């Protein structure tokens, strides 16, 4: 078994117009910049994939990564908890102009909905958002005298994920707090594409230290010295 | 039962037949006991990745006697080894794999399978100590749930039935049954016969079966090599 | 507003006061921005363990400028360091800690807090880009949810109110409010005044407050050292 | 911060009559034998704690561990998925005589109910057990055309857990497949008591390699060469 793919471009080939795409990362940590930019390259060259629904905690920052996807006009909808950042122009401008839809989800609910999708749990109850406008239209129920909101799983067609080390079976580890949503998104997408700083042979990761087991991963591409989103933003780099 | 008695496949042969349908690189859970035998008969060049409920992916054969590490066991509590590429995880992640549709195939034993796809494999009545383990989880979630079983019970009662009389493990979950005498798909609430032993007539096979066997597409011979048990 | 204007506590002083109520070894989440200041004022001999939503427990101060590792940040996207005993985990485990009642204290900012314990701290109207982050999760789950805030808005409107007029973050979730002028508990749908600035009369404080301040047990002076901002 | 406690006896002191007790392990792997036996010692010496509800995947094996608790008469109820084993006499005899109650839960549902308790999710939906006798009396609901059963969280007063390495903050790692239910039970109990083969200073476990963060752990006791349940059973050892 060998899940490796040679290039980011090849790894994102199958993503279709209108797809839902989970993209790992939190702020500038754990964002799979090379996969995102390969997808933008494809869109610029072919006009596809467009009309995407992107699922991420944020909604892009500066002029790279998800912000560059929005700037390129590929994104029809964002599902996120915090569409603000130090430089949120890409999303803000398009959102205020009515050019992009937003589903705002509390951060813990977003994480749990993704995890539920991966775990085959179609719905669960959470105290989060009860009595607020973000619970409007959702079923509520009382358990043990307290009120809860019913939330549904959140699946995607594709997940784009950044890992530190991958083996050829797709077992993954992550670097520091770049872990965040990445392991959850691996579980919740029909197809999970991973960029890893290092790809090793099967057996190259201690089985006890695997964070994401390979069963959740479909394709792995090695990106040896990946760009770090926050560092790019601070350097004022754009992807245009 | 009518007609000539035909010698059915041995358990090893049933397991062999089931193993032929497992693709290279498939993620597979084998039920405790007889289904575990399927792992022995993977066709050359194919390597499935086996999952066990208690939190191991890509485990291998039992270690030599005396070299067991009892912190490294499978769901049947047998000592196992790890293959290169193995991963260890906790029970909630393990059943996320099961319930979340990440396994390609689960192969289970059965007391009864109904033409509806219902499975009864955990309990034969209301006496004794009930024990369910992971069976009810496995039947929901794996992309393909198959059963391996003798075609009839020891006293000749059909195990492929119209409706299960034993307590159910799951509803409408099984899609293929490998028996001692046939390979039967379950589709749209019907048993569809795919393969039967070359020496047995359709009528005889039907007589051993508790629900109608339908034909839909080619019917081929179920041919399996001789195998040591 | 009536009575003499009293100089309220600075943000640093409010944070200092809140920090005095955090026990040694407590697990604490501090909201982004002003609440983060609480970490600076832990009393000597006490060491809380700080949680950040993006999957780090027991983080420490920011590293020196130029030594940031941008894969090691907090929920406010600021660079952090790890203390001995730190742990890293994914977002679902992180919010299991939050929602599951494992944090001892969450300290958050507020636009408004109601005597019912309702909190509004994520949005002031329906314009602009809404962003909620982890606020709605944090207000449910932590064993104690406290708010630090100025007692009134910049234009003198009360932030402690009978009912929130801004969109809610959570219902009946706050149990203590540390303001520039007072420490107020919320119990049984009432504001209970615990501490007030020694230089201010109860009447003046009440006049700055949008709901009735009740007395229940001792009322003590809110005394805080001078602190550099 | 130092969560260490000197002895197993001291670690199990607070457990009360009638408590619900989660006990980690799956079959003979990951069972905190020394903590269990300390609890039995206390019961024999003081008559307390009795009337316990024990939550474990199994219901004891041979004459040690949970089986010895049952033999001692401390257990009023078992919540488990598989109360059978190579030598299930302790449970079987008492169950068939009506001397112990049983709540049978499918294994994945048991794991998820425990995880839900730890994660503040009071209820969730699962396809598991739909249409079977184990779903009787439980609410069902349809999502996306498929039927699911509503399951409730499962909390406990205490969890007894076996870890490999612990630091003084309660961060834990586990040995091989002895992990199983242990990390989940740490999350779901009001008080989590851990026996670890090795206790190290804070900082002694790489933060990226922590499996159970210390926030889920209340007390840690070092048991340097812990007994392994399966090995004891094979050696025919009893605890009487």
């Amino acid at each position: 078994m060998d899940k490796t793919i040679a290039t980011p471009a090849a790894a994102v080939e199958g993503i279709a117009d209108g797809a839902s795409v989970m993209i790992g990362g939190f702020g500038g940590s754990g964002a799979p910049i090379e996969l995102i930019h390969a997808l933008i390259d494809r869109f610029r060259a072919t006009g596809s994939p467009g009309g995407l629904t992107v699922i991420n905690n944020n909604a892009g920052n500066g002029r790279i990564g998800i912000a560059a996807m929005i700037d390129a006009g590929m994104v029809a909808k964002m599902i996120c908890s915090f569409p603000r950042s130090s430089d949120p122009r890409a999303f803000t401008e398009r959102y205020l102009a009515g050019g992009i839809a937003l589903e705002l989800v509390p951060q813990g609910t977003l994480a749990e909905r993704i995890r539920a999708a991966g775990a085959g749990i179609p719905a669960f109850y959470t105290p989060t958002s009860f009595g607020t406008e973000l619970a409007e239209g959702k079923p509520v129920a009382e358990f043990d005298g307290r009120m809860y909101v019913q939330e549904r799983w959140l699946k995607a067609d594709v997940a784009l994920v950044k890992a530190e080390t991958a083996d050829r079976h797709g077992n993954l580890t992550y670097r520091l707090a770049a872990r965040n949503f990445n392991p959850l998104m691996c579980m919740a997408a029909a197809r999970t594409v991973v960029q890893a700083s290092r790809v090793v042979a099967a057996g190259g990761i201690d089985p006890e230290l695997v964070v994401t087991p390979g069963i959740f991963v479909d394709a792995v591409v090695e990106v040896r010295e990946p760009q770090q989103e926050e560092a790019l933003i601070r350097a004022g780099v754009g992807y245009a | 039962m009518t007609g000539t008695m035909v010698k059915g496949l041995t358990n090893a042969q049933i397991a062999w037949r089931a193993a032929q349908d497992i693709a290279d690189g498939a993620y597979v859970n084998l039920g405790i006991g007889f289904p575990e035998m399927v792992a022995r008969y993977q066709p050359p060049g194919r390597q499935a990745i086996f999952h066990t409920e208690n939190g191991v992916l890509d485990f291998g054969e039992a270690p030599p006697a005396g070299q067991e590490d009892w912190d490294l066991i499978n769901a049947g509590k047998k000592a196992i080894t790890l293959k290169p590429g193995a991963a260890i995880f906790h029970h909630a992640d393990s059943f996320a794999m099961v319930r979340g549709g990440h396994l390609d195939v689960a192969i289970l034993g059965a007391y009864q399978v109904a033409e509806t796809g219902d499975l009864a494999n955990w309990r034969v009545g209301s006496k004794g100590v009930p024990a369910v383990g992971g069976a009810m989880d496995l039947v929901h979630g794996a992309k393909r749930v198959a059963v391996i079983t003798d075609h009839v019970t020891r006293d000749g009662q059909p195990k492929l039935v119209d409706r299960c009389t034993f307590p159910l493990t799951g509803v409408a979950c099984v899609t293929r049954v490998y028996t001692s005498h046939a390979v039967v798909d379950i589709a749209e609430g019907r048993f569809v016969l795919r393969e039967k032993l070359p020496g047995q007539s359709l009528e005889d096979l039907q007589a051993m079966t508790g629900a109608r066997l339908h034909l839909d597409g080619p019917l081929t011979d179920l041919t399996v090599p001789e195998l040591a048990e």
Side-chain angles (χ1 to χ4, degrees), chain A, chain B:
Chain A
M1 173 183 283
D2 186 353
K3 295 181 178 174
T4 58
I5 287 187
T7 63
V12 302
E13 247 172 26
I15 302 174
D17 286 339
S20 53
V21 184
M22 290 180 173
I23 300 184
F26 178 90
S29 64
I33 293 293
E34 283 76 7
L35 291 178
I36 297 171
H37 288 179
L39 202 59
I40 295 172
D41 292 346
R42 209 189 112 200
F43 178 76
R44 286 188 180 137
T46 70
S48 182
L52 301 176
T53 293
V54 171
I55 299 154
N56 179 266
N57 186 65
N58 304 100
N61 194 8
R63 294 294 181 193
I64 53 158
I66 292 172
M69 286 178 77
I70 293 170
D71 276 338
M74 304 165 67
V75 183
K77 181 179 179 182
M78 287 294 319
I79 301 177
C80 66
S81 90
F82 206 81
R84 279 198 217 135
S85 60
S86 54
D87 178 7
R89 276 174 299 166
F91 178 81
T92 303
E93 287 163 11
R94 207 166 273 258
Y95 176 76
L96 295 178
I100 193 167
L102 170 64
E103 180 181 342
L104 191 70
V105 183
Q107 193 173 142
T109 298
L110 182 62
E112 190 67 13
R113 287 179 64 193
I114 296 169
R115 191 257 171 200
I121 304 289
F124 60 89
Y125 288 93
T126 173
T128 301
S129 92
F130 177 77
T132 77
E133 65 185 59
L134 295 189
E136 277 168 21
K138 293 181 179 169
V140 297
E142 183 177 328
F143 296 98
D144 308 334
R146 196 172 165 195
M147 296 302 296
Y148 296 87
V149 179
Q150 187 192 96
E151 295 282 356
R152 293 297 314 276
W153 62 17
L154 182 60
K155 300 191 170 203
D157 297 311
V158 184
L160 304 182
V161 159
K162 182 179 190 175
E164 173 73 354
T165 303
D167 72 16
R168 290 178 183 279
H169 286 200
N171 292 304
L172 308 179
T173 68
Y174 302 90
R175 184 164 184 275
L176 298 168
R179 186 178 308 194
N180 55 63
F181 282 90
N182 281 300
L184 307 174
M185 290 178 172
C186 286
M187 300 168 67
R191 178 175 168 79
T192 293
V193 177
V194 175
Q195 66 167 73
S197 305
R198 206 161 65 100
V199 176
V200 299
I205 304 176
D206 180 338
E208 287 184 348
L209 307 187
V210 169
V211 176
T212 292
I215 192 171
F216 297 128
V217 171
D218 298 284
V220 172
V221 58
E222 188 174 68
V223 176
R224 281 208 188 165
E225 291 186 4
Q227 299 178 84
Q228 209 289 344
E229 184 177 293
E230 185 69 24
L232 292 177
I233 289 163
R234 285 171 185 262
V237 174
Y239 193 71
Chain B
M1 204 176 300
T2 63
T4 330
M5 282 299 285
V6 175
K7 191 180 169 300
L9 302 182
T10 63
N11 277 358
Q13 288 175 309
I14 302 170
W16 181 92
R17 177 61 193 86
Q20 307 313 301
D21 288 347
I22 299 176
D24 185 39
Y27 291 94
V28 180
N29 185 294
L30 301 175
I32 296 171
F34 169 27
E36 290 179 67
M37 215 185 256
V38 172
R40 291 192 209 156
Y41 299 114
Q42 291 186 81
R46 289 194 222 164
Q47 208 165 8
I49 295 193
F50 294 103
H51 167 268
T52 182
E53 292 94 308
N54 55 313
V56 184
L57 203 57
D58 212 4
F59 65 94
E61 311 263 305
Q67 290 178 40
E68 299 91 350
D69 182 329
W70 296 110
D71 285 344
L72 190 58
I73 59 176
N74 64 13
K77 280 88 175 181
K78 295 202 192 79
I80 55 174
T81 51
L82 296 177
K83 291 189 190 168
I88 288 172
F89 35 87
H90 61 50
H91 252 84
D93 282 348
S94 181
F95 280 89
M97 293 175 194
V98 171
R99 207 190 298 106
H102 303 284
L103 294 173
D104 294 299
V105 192
I107 299 183
L108 305 168
Y111 296 136
Q112 294 174 323
V113 189
E115 61 187 352
T116 54
D118 293 0
L119 173 67
N121 82 343
W122 73 287
R123 198 172 191 196
V124 292
S126 58
K127 287 194 181 162
V129 177
V132 66
M136 285 191 186
D137 306 281
L138 281 166
V139 298
H140 297 291
K143 292 182 187 113
R144 192 163 77 81
V145 176
V147 156
I148 56 174
T149 179
D150 276 329
H151 204 86
V152 295
T153 64
R154 277 183 203 176
D155 53 355
Q157 295 303 307
K159 299 184 78 167
L160 280 65
V161 295
D162 58 345
R163 294 292 177 272
C164 295
T165 55
F166 294 142
L168 291 185
T169 306
V171 172
C173 51
V174 177
T175 56
R176 175 162 271 206
V177 186
Y178 303 94
T179 80
S180 48
H181 291 69
V183 176
V184 177
D185 280 345
I186 295 173
E188 293 160 6
R190 306 187 315 165
F191 285 130
V192 180
L193 183 63
R194 297 297 183 195
E195 299 176 22
K196 70 170 186 61
L197 292 177
Q200 188 173 41
S201 71
L202 191 52
E203 292 67 31
D204 283 353
L205 183 65
Q206 180 63 68
M208 297 169 68
T209 309
R212 177 79 187 281
L213 293 171
H214 295 263
L215 291 177
D216 178 9
L219 175 63
T220 57
D221 282 347
L222 172 54
T223 51
V224 173
E226 291 300 314
L227 295 166
E229 273 293 295

